[in-house]
Amino acid sequence: MAENTLDITEQSVVSDFLTIGQVLNQTLQTKNNEIQIENGVASGFSILDEKISGFQNGKLTTILVRPGMGKTSMLLSIASNMAIKDDYSVAIFSAERNAEKILSRILESETGMSINKLTSEKIKTREKEQLQMLYSSIQKAKIYINDDAKMSHFDIYQK
């Protein structure tokens, strides 16, 4: 026997929905369960932080990734997380990219806009205000870039 439409709508299932209180509790529980790093500096990537317990003072951490998998993006994101968001000092040594290209990648990552849009006149007034605050926080960040392609491992160690 076929059910009529009224019978079906009266059998609504409320369990597919979450109350705002449930979402809040889940969110707070997730935040409280984040990796606690003792004596280390968080990278901003929870899986990495869980594996290495954050960056430890005096300990070299090597991240190996196949070519074309986003090493530069990831490392610049880590540098931004540490310097811009958490106020640590970060040194970037790059034999492949000059300081301007590194800055461009950081700006693109932090703003979500291409460098072409950031330097064009097509930015809306509201976006300009947000960008000015972001530029200010980037400018204050303690990120130091050395793009000398001729540096040796010993030179890097000394610096």
Side-chain angles (χ1 to χ4, degrees):
M1 179 194 307
E3 295 183 44
N4 68 33
T5 307
L6 185 59
D7 290 339
I8 293 171
T9 58
E10 288 177 353
Q11 297 174 3
S12 63
V13 177
V14 180
S15 63
D16 290 342
F17 292 93
L18 296 172
T19 67
I20 195 70
Q22 289 170 316
V23 175
L24 177 64
N25 287 337
Q26 287 176 358
T27 302
L28 292 176
Q29 183 177 11
T30 301
K31 295 290 184 194
N32 291 334
N33 289 337
E34 287 182 359
I35 304 300
Q36 298 298 316
I37 299 172
E38 290 186 30
N39 303 320
V41 178
S43 68
F45 291 90
S46 58
I47 294 172
L48 177 62
D49 290 335
E50 183 178 342
K51 297 285 183 197
I52 66 171
S53 298
F55 291 104
Q56 301 294 319
N57 190 21
K59 181 179 175 186
L60 175 66
T61 303
T62 305
I63 300 173
L64 302 173
V65 182
R66 292 189 310 254
M69 299 302 291
K71 291 181 295 294
T72 302
S73 294
M74 180 181 175
L75 293 174
L76 291 178
S77 290
I78 290 171
S80 294
N81 289 337
M82 293 170 72
I84 297 169
K85 295 175 179 72
D86 295 334
D87 200 34
Y88 286 96
S89 296
V90 176
I92 299 173
F93 296 91
S94 178
E96 296 177 359
R97 288 180 177 79
N98 66 25
E100 290 82 14
K101 287 184 181 178
I102 291 171
L103 175 61
S104 293
R105 295 282 297 265
I106 290 172
L107 286 172
E108 289 175 337
S109 175
E110 290 297 311
T111 63
M113 296 181 196
S114 72
I115 199 67
N116 291 336
K117 181 170 182 178
L118 290 171
T119 57
S120 75
E121 296 296 322
K122 298 178 183 178
I123 296 176
K124 299 172 186 166
T125 305
R126 186 189 68 216
E127 289 175 324
K128 284 183 183 179
E129 292 169 3
Q130 293 171 338
L131 288 174
Q132 287 303 324
M133 290 188 323
L134 185 58
Y135 289 161
S136 176
S137 65
I138 292 171
Q139 206 168 22
K140 292 175 189 172
K142 295 176 262 181
I143 298 177
Y144 305 94
I145 302 170
N146 187 316
D147 59 3
D148 183 0
K150 297 176 184 174
M151 288 186 64
S152 69
H153 293 93
F154 183 71
D155 294 333
I156 293 172
Y157 175 76
Q158 282 185 317
K159 292 185 183 285

